Amino acid sequence: MKAKIAAFIIMLSFWVILSGMFDGFHLTLGVISCLLVAHFSGKLLFEGLKVEVRVKQIFGMLAYGPWLLWAIVLSSLEVAYIVLHPRMLEKMDPQLIRFKTKLKSKFARVTFAQSITLTPGTITVSLQDDEMTVYALTRSAADSLPGEMERRIALALEPQNS
């Protein structure tokens, strides 16, 4: 039941943010749609996970979000520079790299994989247990993995050993 409630809250939040419609008709449609989706598929979002609100993880993700947006902006500028450069083919150095992540939880690993894919110039090709395969457009993008992004996700989502 907690999984369905959490799924409903997450979906309704996105509905309100993305729709921008705050009148009764649209809010009612949003609530009904989110209730139906949460009822029939709410367990999919949190399958095998204990749905607990952890204050540390919420604040960790709130701190990680702006950093990720900044990383996306910087990567976008780098990819735009490469694409617009007259010697574009010389600037690119596409690579497929494999590495093991230090992240323990499945949620943290998936967050890491999705963050890599959101960053222009990199795509997560595969995530098997703790091994990731990532396509990188440039040598600098490949060299930056796992790096700072993994460290920040670990700080935000992984339990810290005291």
Side-chain angles (χ1 to χ4, degrees):
M1 186 65 171
K2 288 181 183 179
K4 289 182 180 183
I5 293 170
F8 170 75
I9 291 170
I10 290 168
M11 287 186 285
L12 187 62
S13 299
F14 277 110
W15 174 281
V16 170
I17 291 168
L18 296 177
S19 74
M21 303 289 193
F22 304 108
D23 58 278
F25 176 74
H26 288 98
L27 287 175
T28 303
L29 280 179
V31 168
I32 292 170
S33 299
C34 293
L35 279 172
L36 287 172
V37 172
H39 176 71
F40 290 113
S41 61
K43 290 182 182 177
L44 293 175
L45 185 60
F46 299 105
E47 184 179 357
L49 294 176
K50 292 180 184 174
V51 180
E52 299 174 5
V53 176
R54 292 189 178 115
V55 175
K56 178 200 175 290
Q57 289 179 331
I58 291 171
F59 285 117
M61 287 305 290
L62 288 174
Y64 175 69
W67 181 88
L68 178 61
L69 286 174
W70 181 245
I72 290 170
V73 168
L74 292 178
S75 296
S76 298
L77 292 172
E78 181 183 12
V79 170
Y81 170 77
I82 292 168
V83 169
L84 297 172
H85 198 280
R87 295 188 314 251
M88 174 179 66
L89 296 177
E90 295 173 17
K91 297 285 182 186
M92 291 190 310
D93 186 12
Q95 301 178 26
L96 201 59
I97 62 167
R98 279 195 178 95
F99 60 89
K100 289 189 182 272
T101 180
K102 297 173 188 167
L103 300 171
K104 302 293 183 226
S105 75
K106 191 182 283 188
F107 183 68
R109 289 179 191 162
V110 171
T111 300
F112 185 34
Q114 294 300 328
S115 296
I116 290 170
T117 300
L118 281 171
T119 309
T122 55
I123 297 172
T124 303
V125 177
S126 172
L127 172 60
Q128 296 292 325
D129 296 321
D130 65 344
E131 186 172 297
M132 298 182 77
T133 305
V134 176
Y135 166 83
L137 183 65
T138 63
R139 165 72 64 190
S140 64
D143 290 344
S144 70
L145 293 169
E148 182 68 11
M149 186 178 285
E150 181 185 46
R151 188 189 72 74
R152 286 181 180 262
I153 290 172
L155 195 61
L157 298 177
E158 297 275 289
Q160 303 298 317
N161 296 334
S162 300

